[in-house]
Amino acid sequence: MVKVLWKFLFHKEPNARPLGPLPMQQLDSLSIVRKSPDLLRVTWFGHSASLVELAGKNILFDPMLSIDLGPSAWLTPPRYNATLPITPEQLPPIDAVLISHDHYDHLDYQTIRRIKSKVAHFYVPLGIGPHLRKWGVAPERITEMNWGDEAKLPGLTVVCTPSRHFSGRGLTNRNSTLWSSWVLKSDSKRVFYSGDGGYSPHFKAIGAAHGPFDLALIECGQYDQQWSQIHMMPEQSVQAAVDVRGKVMLPVHWAAFTEANHAWTDPIERATAAAMRLQMPVTTPRLGEPVVVGSGPLPSSPWWRQVQ
């Protein structure tokens, strides 16, 4: 901890933040219209917040859609952009919200408060239910899950799977709730979301049990060699996509906040280089740019190099 604090205070990365706003595609609920049960489309809003359309359902991962991170903006890093591709109020009806863990950059009070009326159900790791109930979500719309638990929706199975991370929203409740990754299975397609966590054999186990995956959303960013047990280095992120048998990798957990002492483009530059070496297809959409999987070329431009 002393080494980490020393680095943050006296050895700051000069390119930790972009000099200007990141390009994004503005959206509203009319931009996200269900086409068919066979459609697999994902829209990444920055950091780990992503909307997955699968089996005719809208599934929202870790919806941190606030500008401020946590309860005290003066203590936490500001978001790169002053706006997002979509506001919580503009989201379409959501069939399920899946939370990976209760850190502020994944479980956001303001977002939950603003979307709870349009969410049919919340699926969360063990112990996160009390947060949601305190924030006004009806208990019957919350399902807490352990690793290996499954939940059935019409045409879709949700599986809570392991990750190697930690939890807590304060100084006194560390590891009082569970953390997880998630698997989505329809009759024809499969999606994996890693949540946060370090690299370990659980990725191969998930790939063997539930893969291959048409799309793997993998954490890639906010890392340091000193805490690689809880956040993967970019090369490990690509290896994780290989391990779970992902057909396409979408790097997430970057392009929103600076929470580690590396250049803001370092995650995507290193990940795309590693993906080329390992022959792992990678899609790199702009914030808010929908990605349709299995229907032509995927967004792959290095847009981050154009940011001034």
Side-chain angles (χ1 to χ4, degrees), residues 82-210:
T83 60
L84 281 86
I86 198 167
T87 67
E89 289 79 10
Q90 291 172 319
L91 286 170
I94 303 298
D95 296 281
V97 166
L98 275 58
I99 303 294
S100 64
H101 62 295
D102 69 359
H103 287 158
Y104 287 102
D105 56 336
H106 294 260
L107 177 62
D108 178 54
Y109 162 70
Q110 292 293 344
T111 302
I112 299 299
R113 182 182 62 83
R114 294 165 67 184
I115 68 171
K116 63 186 178 182
S117 63
K118 65 175 66 184
V119 177
H121 209 87
F122 291 82
Y123 297 92
V124 300
L126 293 174
I128 293 182
H131 291 309
L132 300 180
R133 292 194 294 271
K134 181 180 179 181
W135 300 343
V137 179
E140 62 270 17
R141 293 196 290 126
I142 303 169
T143 297
E144 295 189 47
M145 300 173 68
N146 199 354
W147 294 348
D149 289 349
E150 296 187 2
K152 300 287 186 179
L153 288 74
L156 189 66
T157 300
V158 176
V159 187
C160 182
T161 45
S163 71
R164 182 182 178 179
H165 199 50
F166 69 108
S167 67
R169 292 172 71 84
L171 298 176
T172 61
N173 64 351
R174 186 179 175 93
N175 296 341
S176 60
T177 63
L178 188 61
W179 48 94
S180 73
S181 55
W182 291 99
V183 167
L184 300 177
K185 301 181 189 178
S186 73
D187 291 337
S188 60
K189 293 182 172 61
R190 299 188 176 201
V191 174
F192 174 70
Y193 168 48
S194 68
D196 283 4
Y199 180 76
S200 86
H202 73 275
F203 290 113
K204 283 190 177 180
I206 292 170
H210 302 289

Side-chain angles (χ1 to χ4, degrees), residues 194 277 281 303:
S194 68
R277 291 194 299 271
W303 56 262

Side-chain angles (χ1 to χ4, degrees), residues 272-287:
T272 51
M276 186 175 296
R277 291 194 299 271
L278 294 178
Q279 298 183 318
M280 166 56 63
V282 174
T283 184
T284 57
R286 294 171 297 148
L287 306 183

